[in-house]
Amino acid sequence: MTDSVRENLIDGENGSLYVNNKWERFTDIHCHCLPGLDDGPSTMKEALALCRMLAAEGIATIVATPHQLGRFESFNEAATVREAVNNLNESLKNNAIPVEVVPGGEVRVDERICKLLESDRILTLADGGKYLLLELPYQVFIDIEPLLIELASMDIQSIISHAERILPTAAQSNLLLHWLDQSAHFQITASSLLGDFGPEAQRAAWDFLTSGRAALVATDSHDIDSRKPRMRTAFRHISDKLGKELAHLVCIENPLRVINGRDILPLSLCDQKEIDR
Ligand SMILES: [Fe+2]
């Protein structure tokens, strides 16, 4: 075991990790934690159980990202999500669970997205107006460059959700470079790095990281069983394989930048000597 991984194994209060000489907690930018809205928890009790697990993982802030558009068309509009976030935060406080939830959405790709943003019907991450979590279809590959350009004209940057599951063979393709040029970012799922979605998604997830094309890791957790948050273990695996600087950037620094409306930093800023490919 490397020194960096040994250091990251020190556990602190509220699931915090000791990294770079200080205690750190994660921000999760993609999580289905709101009760009764989508394929996440059905009840407040289940939502609290998931949030308790997220807190134990070391997550301080969760962006609630219920599905919007696609099969959830007409449901989960911005006002509904904001109200559900307020209710969950109140229950978290009453149950002394140390996490904060902020509003967001996982928005299915749709030609009406810009208009729906203007009429406040779908949500950007942390309601900040800077980053939109965009879900692409699984079955067909579509070029979203026109939508990325339209969003960029509104000063909104897109984050492609669970890219490793949607683009498993495309991690090296030139098309993705065009998307990156249009202010797109790629989010990969912590549990994919650990093999929970099979070898193809696992390979693609690591490929996205080692090629420097994924800037963010999130849990995309739905429950405490089959789709549970695995940020802590993923962080340790990334530290071990690619260095703690890169792990810190994709799991801690960049997710925090998203909710604070700051620019996402590229992986090229990491010390390449630390990367053991
Ligand atoms: Fe999701």
Side-chain angles (χ1 to χ4, degrees):
M1 189 180 291
T2 64
D3 284 346
S4 65
V5 173
R6 194 174 297 112
E7 183 189 75
N8 296 334
L9 287 172
I10 301 171
D11 291 322
E13 228 176 287
N14 291 338
S16 58
L17 291 165
Y18 196 67
V19 192
N20 296 341
N21 301 317
K22 60 178 179 176
W23 293 104
E24 299 265 23
R25 292 175 75 197
F26 300 109
T27 301
D28 189 8
I29 61 151
H30 181 177
C31 180
H32 300 262
C33 60
L34 296 175
L37 292 194
D38 62 359
D39 51 353
S42 306
T43 63
M44 182 59 84
K45 191 178 170 190
E46 289 176 12
L48 292 175
L50 174 56
C51 289
R52 213 172 264 118
M53 189 178 268
L54 286 153
E57 282 287 300
I59 290 160
T61 309
I62 307 163
V63 187
T65 54
H67 293 286
Q68 295 187 305
L69 304 182
R71 70 187 196 276
F72 292 92
E73 171 87 43
S74 306
F75 297 96
N76 304 341
E77 293 204 353
T80 307
V81 175
R82 291 186 189 114
E83 189 183 345
V85 165
N86 288 340
N87 291 339
L88 180 55
N89 275 324
E90 201 176 316
S91 289
L92 289 167
K93 204 172 162 189
N94 293 338
N95 286 276
I97 299 171
V99 288
E100 185 194 7
V101 183
V102 295
E106 183 179 14
V107 185
R108 186 73 167 197
V109 66
D110 189 300
E111 62 190 11
R112 299 164 299 166
I113 279 179
C114 292
K115 281 197 175 68
L116 292 169
L117 279 166
E118 279 169 351
S119 55
D120 195 32
R121 294 186 51 198
I122 56 175
L123 283 160
T124 52
L125 292 177
D127 227 351
K130 185 172 171 86
Y131 294 105
L132 182 84
L133 186 65
L134 195 58
E135 184 185 36
L136 273 58
Y138 289 87
Q139 297 84 3
V140 287
F141 180 80
I142 53 170
D143 185 2
I144 55 167
E145 194 169 356
L147 175 60
L148 299 178
I149 292 169
E150 203 182 347
L151 285 165
S153 75
M154 296 172 70
D155 285 329
I156 294 174
Q157 298 179 30
S158 305
I159 297 174
I160 313 298
S161 63
H162 41 67
E164 79 286 353
R165 292 171 53 209
I166 295 201
L167 308 161
T169 58
Q172 306 299 329
S173 87
N174 287 333
L175 190 57
L176 300 197
L177 291 180
H178 290 300
W179 293 3
L180 285 167
D181 286 343
Q182 297 302 336
S183 308
H185 307 276
F186 296 102
Q187 172 259 307
I188 54 172
T189 306
S191 53
S192 287
L193 291 164
L194 306 174
D196 289 3
F197 289 97
E200 193 180 24
Q202 186 176 26
R203 199 164 35 246
W206 284 105
D207 215 17
F208 267 102
L209 279 184
T210 53
S211 63
R213 290 181 185 173
L216 300 144
V217 173
T219 73
D220 191 14
S221 51
H222 288 61
D223 56 44
I224 60 169
D225 299 310
S226 59
R227 298 287 300 274
K228 63 187 173 191
R230 300 193 69 195
M231 190 67 126
R232 204 175 181 76
T233 309
F235 177 82
R236 289 169 179 161
H237 281 237
I238 299 167
S239 289
D240 197 22
K241 285 190 179 186
L242 304 177
K244 69 178 176 185
E245 196 183 347
L246 191 144
H248 184 270
L249 185 63
V250 296
C251 296
I252 296 174
E253 174 75 26
N254 275 339
L256 188 60
R257 283 174 167 267
V258 166
I259 63 162
N260 289 333
R262 297 172 65 204
D263 287 339
I264 290 171
L265 298 177
L267 270 61
S268 56
L269 290 183
C270 291
D271 183 359
Q272 293 298 307
K273 279 181 282 187
E274 222 185 327
I275 298 182
D276 175 24
R277 297 188 187 195

